[in-house]
Amino acid sequence: MSHARPALRRPEARLALALALVAAAAVFVAVFVFGRANTPDYTATLFGQAGADAVRLKAQLATGVLGMAAVQLLLALWMYRRLPGVRRVPGPVPITHRIAGVVLFALTVPIAVHCVQAYGVQLSGSRVAVHSIAGCFFYGAFAAKVLLVQSRRLPGWALPLAGGALVVVVVVLWYTSALWHFNGDSVPVLSLAYQHLPPGQM
């Protein structure tokens, strides 16, 4: 009898994975549909800032999110003993990882609210489309991660996969928004396509 991946044969593990996938898909679809139905209001403000000032503030917040994602990745590698030379995990590391995750999520909320209010989900132009879809995927993946964290009977790859997906999507979001702003409304590969948004806005 094979003993490979025994966790996958447990009903609790299968149920936890199924619920996480359903939650991720439901949140993704909900955010996507809401964003597509929204009428863009390019005058929407972010902490009192509008237009180019709001874009600059969002780019700064997004860079903060990227930094927190890097911290989360390092803490996760530490917890899983994947950092070179690390053999022990001090007690504060897991709780710091959780706190950093909450801070990361909180930083994304004002950015997402402004994006939805000002632009909604737009698919015209490669950069805008990638950014919009990645934004929807982020909240779906985050919902899945929250559910997976509550389960104690998961296969070993589940949480690292969910956490890794969140880090990757944060990088994609930063690349298609903050870097685009800092780089003069241009990023490699995705700046050649037609952009539907007014100049200087994201």
Side-chain angles (χ1 to χ4, degrees), residues 41-137:
D41 177 10
Y42 297 127
T43 65
T45 62
L46 175 64
F47 297 124
Q49 304 294 314
D53 291 333
V55 171
R56 181 168 56 253
L57 180 55
K58 279 203 303 182
Q60 293 166 349
L61 289 172
T63 301
V65 171
L66 181 67
M68 292 305 301
V71 170
Q72 282 290 81
L73 179 59
L74 286 174
L75 290 171
L77 291 172
W78 195 348
M79 287 192 300
Y80 283 93
R81 294 179 174 85
R82 292 294 185 266
L83 289 177
V86 172
R87 294 183 177 273
R88 59 183 295 271
V89 181
V93 171
I95 187 63
T96 302
H97 181 71
R98 294 189 188 97
I99 292 172
V102 171
V103 172
L104 186 156
F105 182 81
L107 283 174
T108 70
V109 173
I111 302 173
V113 169
H114 183 268
C115 279
V116 171
Q117 288 180 337
Y119 316 119
V121 171
Q122 298 194 22
L123 303 177
S124 54
S126 57
R127 182 191 69 85
V128 174
V130 169
H131 185 74
S132 293
I133 293 172
C136 298
F137 181 82

Side-chain angles (χ1 to χ4, degrees), residues 179-187 191 199-201:
L179 180 60
W180 174 80
H181 169 72
F182 294 140
N183 198 45
D185 296 357
S186 174
V187 288
S191 298
Q201 299 192 13

